[in-house]
Amino acid sequence: MEIVKNVSNCKNCAYRSWAFKKLTSDELKLINEKKVEKFYRKGENIYIEGEPVHSFLYLQNGLVKLFKTEPNHKEHIISIAKPKDFIGLLSIFSNKNHTYSITAIEDSIICFIDLDIIKNFIKTNGNFALDFFEKISNLSDSIIKTRVDINTRQLRGRIAYILLFFAQNIYNAKKFNLPISRKEIADLIDMSTENVIRALSEFRKDGLIQIEGKSIEINDIDRLQKIYVLG
Amino acid sequence: MEIVKNVSNCKNCAYRSWAFKKLTSDELKLINEKKVEKFYRKGENIYIEGEPVHSFLYLQNGLVKLFKTEPNHKEHIISIAKPKDFIGLLSIFSNKNHTYSITAIEDSIICFIDLDIIKNFIKTNGNFALDFFEKISNLSDSIIKTRVDINTRQLRGRIAYILLFFAQNIYNAKKFNLPISRKEIADLIDMSTENVIRALSEFRKDGLIQIEGKSIEINDIDRLQKIYVLG
DNA sequence: TATCATTAATGATATATATCATAATATATA
DNA sequence: TATATATTATGATATATATCATTAATGATA
């Protein structure tokens, strides 16, 4: 990790026009002064389970995973945050310590804003408080929806979901490089690594996708969609 | 459903001392005047997926389930709310329509508060806004945690989870009446009804629990706990 | 009470998934 | 570059779960 020197201006930040829309120019100025931008290389931890909560995190660039390590040492990936996402769960507002870990799965630039500053805005700027709440409350619900979508399906449906997720939600392209390993896909959909590999091979043999290592190209997005919907 | 006539006073409500702690006496008075208490019999719908969001719901008494109906007509239960819980997901603040359905699984009394009133409090009472946010943000995270807990385990671990959930979380007793059918347990843990029944029978044969219809008594809570932890 | 519908229970069988083993390939490191 | 290590790939087998079939028990209703 290294602190980014040539910092960006909050005024031009995409987040500003979303959940930070109702901040006054003075408040925005304060954030702009106090925020810290950090650069993480792929594989670096941003923080781990149990560490105290200090900051509100915003992903400027890159890709990160939120995960928990289970008592049996298995890893379970809760979600993947993409650029312009708030990183984390809403529990940063209710818990003193992080209940999950975050690691960069691509080189990432993360903006750290002291949580007390945000809390103070909620307290003193009613318009911001309501707007922020309306925007951010969507986050955890979409994670719950994803978990339901995945867990009500079996192997092939789950793999289809993951492929569509990266193609449509993250890269907006039919061809992309998988940012995570097959094992991480397994940790994300609660299946074994071998079966993830097998399902991908099957999709390749069926002509649904092309695979070359981490590179995936989707040939037939409609059929993939059907496999996902039917489960 | 019927409107409760002999209404309770918000001043003495358990929720008041939790997420509504920072309301002024005037604000509390307003809620007290505007709130509507409704009684639902076991099995009655409170609302269904797609209906517009109007109210903030608080469960005074009883038990309700939140669920979604999948495209393949399967039901998936997201969570069960117990007395003194806010009912629903935080998406009521971000979405115009409900993204899930709610049904009473026991006779229930639900307190309806117009969502605009809550939103106005968030806007005008900073102390309330922050405190409310800190309290309620915990809700969706606990649902996410539950989904992870369930989905990283297999049949026996999931059944152990459900039994411990009702014994420790809902009824605070070793002996209780299951408020839901075996099929609903299956909808909750993403398993088939037959396997839920089989696992319960196994637990009975192993001397872990006693079963008489809906009545369950836990004999060996430590072993049940172990089965849950180990998965 | 008698009848019907739903839920619970259990066995047999089919299917899905996990685990173990081994090899090939890719990636990291000295 | 050479070597070690992790990832990807595939087959064989074991295990877990779903589905189908049947019966018993329970609850609702006329």
Side-chain angles (χ1 to χ4, degrees):
Chain A
M1 186 274 292
E2 49 186 282
I3 309 280
V4 177
K5 293 285 168 56
N6 197 4
V7 291
S8 24
N9 190 318
C10 293
K11 271 190 194 168
N12 312 315
C13 176
Y15 208 70
R16 196 216 144 182
S17 59
W18 192 63
F20 284 176
K21 210 169 186 171
K22 297 293 173 81
L23 289 181
T24 66
S25 55
D26 279 355
E27 288 166 341
L28 208 60
K29 213 169 141 189
L30 179 68
I31 288 193
N32 198 42
E33 284 164 11
K34 300 281 180 137
K35 73 159 193 307
V36 179
E37 288 167 80
K38 296 180 183 175
F39 175 79
Y40 290 86
R41 288 219 172 278
K42 179 177 177 140
E44 272 189 289
N45 290 330
I46 288 98
Y47 56 71
I48 61 168
E49 222 173 316
E51 285 180 6
V53 174
H54 291 305
S55 308
F56 180 90
L57 271 60
Y58 165 67
L59 182 59
Q60 275 196 14
N61 224 307
L63 223 50
V64 303
K65 64 171 177 179
L66 273 71
F67 63 100
K68 270 179 94 76
T69 306
E70 295 291 306
N72 53 6
H73 301 290
K74 281 196 180 175
E75 272 188 13
H76 176 82
I77 297 178
I78 299 164
S79 73
I80 289 176
K82 61 177 188 297
K84 310 199 182 0
D85 275 351
F86 153 63
I87 307 173
L89 303 184
L90 294 189
S91 55
I92 60 162
F93 286 98
S94 50
N95 291 333
K96 287 222 154 50
N97 299 298
H98 289 289
T99 53
Y100 46 87
S101 307
I102 298 189
T103 297
I105 55 177
E106 278 184 0
D107 291 355
S108 298
I109 296 176
I110 294 167
C111 188
F112 285 67
I113 302 170
D114 198 29
L115 194 61
D116 287 337
I117 294 178
I118 307 281
K119 284 187 176 180
N120 198 47
F121 290 161
I122 292 173
K123 215 168 176 174
T124 56
N125 181 342
N127 286 323
F128 167 75
L130 182 57
D131 183 63
F132 181 69
F133 199 25
E134 287 178 347
K135 299 283 168 55
I136 211 167
S137 58
N138 193 42
L139 173 81
S140 51
D141 282 33
S142 71
I143 293 177
I144 293 172
K145 186 184 180 317
T146 298
R147 292 319 322 169
V148 172
D149 284 347
I150 288 177
N151 293 314
T152 51
R153 285 166 171 82
Q154 52 197 46
L155 181 60
R156 287 168 60 88
R158 295 183 191 189
I159 295 293
Y161 176 90
I162 293 298
L163 293 173
L164 291 167
F165 170 75
F166 282 114
Q168 299 179 332
N169 234 314
I170 302 287
Y171 296 114
N172 201 26
K174 283 184 179 178
K175 189 170 182 177
F176 55 86
N177 281 316
L178 265 181
I180 56 177
S181 68
R182 312 296 198 256
K183 180 188 172 297
E184 284 173 308
I185 296 178
D187 292 341
L188 194 46
I189 65 170
D190 296 317
M191 291 272 161
S192 71
T193 308
E194 293 95 324
N195 277 338
V196 168
I197 293 169
R198 254 185 276 269
L200 286 170
S201 296
E202 264 180 53
F203 283 3
R204 177 176 46 73
K205 285 171 197 159
D206 291 351
L208 280 166
I209 57 172
Q210 286 166 268
I211 310 178
E212 264 184 62
K214 297 276 189 195
S215 164
I216 302 262
E217 181 167 3
I218 296 177
N219 294 329
D220 194 337
I221 206 153
D222 290 345
R223 247 170 83 210
L224 212 53
Q225 193 84 42
K226 263 183 204 155
I227 290 172
Y228 160 66
V229 172
L230 296 177
Chain B
M1 186 272 293
E2 47 186 284
I3 309 279
V4 177
K5 294 285 168 56
N6 196 6
V7 292
S8 24
N9 190 318
C10 292
K11 270 191 193 168
N12 312 315
C13 175
Y15 208 69
R16 195 217 145 181
S17 58
W18 192 62
F20 283 177
K21 209 170 188 173
K22 297 292 171 80
L23 289 181
T24 66
S25 56
D26 279 355
E27 288 166 341
L28 208 60
K29 213 169 141 192
L30 179 68
I31 288 192
N32 198 43
E33 284 164 12
K34 300 282 181 135
K35 73 157 192 308
V36 180
E37 288 168 80
K38 296 180 182 173
F39 175 80
Y40 290 86
R41 290 219 171 277
K42 180 177 177 142
E44 272 190 288
N45 290 331
I46 288 98
Y47 56 72
I48 61 168
E49 223 173 316
E51 285 181 5
V53 173
H54 292 304
S55 308
F56 179 90
L57 270 61
Y58 165 67
L59 182 60
Q60 275 193 15
N61 225 307
L63 224 50
V64 303
K65 65 172 177 179
L66 273 71
F67 63 100
K68 269 182 96 76
T69 306
E70 295 292 304
N72 53 6
H73 301 290
K74 282 196 180 175
E75 272 189 12
H76 176 81
I77 298 179
I78 299 163
S79 73
I80 289 177
K82 61 176 190 294
K84 308 194 182 10
D85 275 351
F86 152 66
I87 307 174
L89 302 184
L90 295 189
S91 55
I92 60 163
F93 286 97
S94 50
N95 291 334
K96 286 223 157 45
N97 298 297
H98 289 288
T99 53
Y100 46 87
S101 307
I102 299 189
T103 296
I105 55 176
E106 279 184 0
D107 290 356
S108 298
I109 297 175
I110 295 167
C111 187
F112 284 68
I113 302 170
D114 198 26
L115 195 61
D116 287 337
I117 294 178
I118 307 281
K119 284 188 176 180
N120 197 47
F121 289 163
I122 292 174
K123 216 168 175 174
T124 56
N125 181 343
N127 287 322
F128 167 74
L130 183 56
D131 184 63
F132 181 69
F133 199 24
E134 287 179 347
K135 298 282 166 56
I136 211 166
S137 58
N138 192 44
L139 173 81
S140 50
D141 281 33
S142 71
I143 293 177
I144 293 172
K145 187 185 179 315
T146 297
R147 294 317 327 169
V148 173
D149 283 348
I150 287 176
N151 293 314
T152 52
R153 286 167 172 81
Q154 51 196 46
L155 180 60
R156 287 168 58 87
R158 294 182 192 190
I159 295 293
Y161 176 89
I162 293 297
L163 293 174
L164 290 168
F165 169 75
F166 282 115
Q168 300 179 331
N169 234 314
I170 302 287
Y171 297 114
N172 201 26
K174 285 185 177 178
K175 189 171 183 176
F176 55 87
N177 281 317
L178 265 181
I180 55 176
S181 69
R182 311 296 197 255
K183 180 188 173 296
E184 284 173 307
I185 296 178
D187 292 341
L188 194 47
I189 65 169
D190 296 318
M191 291 271 161
S192 71
T193 308
E194 292 94 325
N195 276 338
V196 168
I197 294 169
R198 255 185 275 269
L200 286 170
S201 296
E202 265 180 52
F203 283 2
R204 177 175 47 73
K205 284 171 197 160
D206 291 352
L208 281 165
I209 57 172
Q210 284 165 268
I211 309 178
E212 264 185 62
K214 298 275 190 197
S215 164
I216 302 262
E217 181 167 2
I218 296 178
N219 294 330
D220 195 337
I221 206 152
D222 291 344
R223 247 170 85 212
L224 212 53
Q225 193 84 43
K226 263 182 204 155
I227 291 172
Y228 161 66
V229 171
L230 296 178

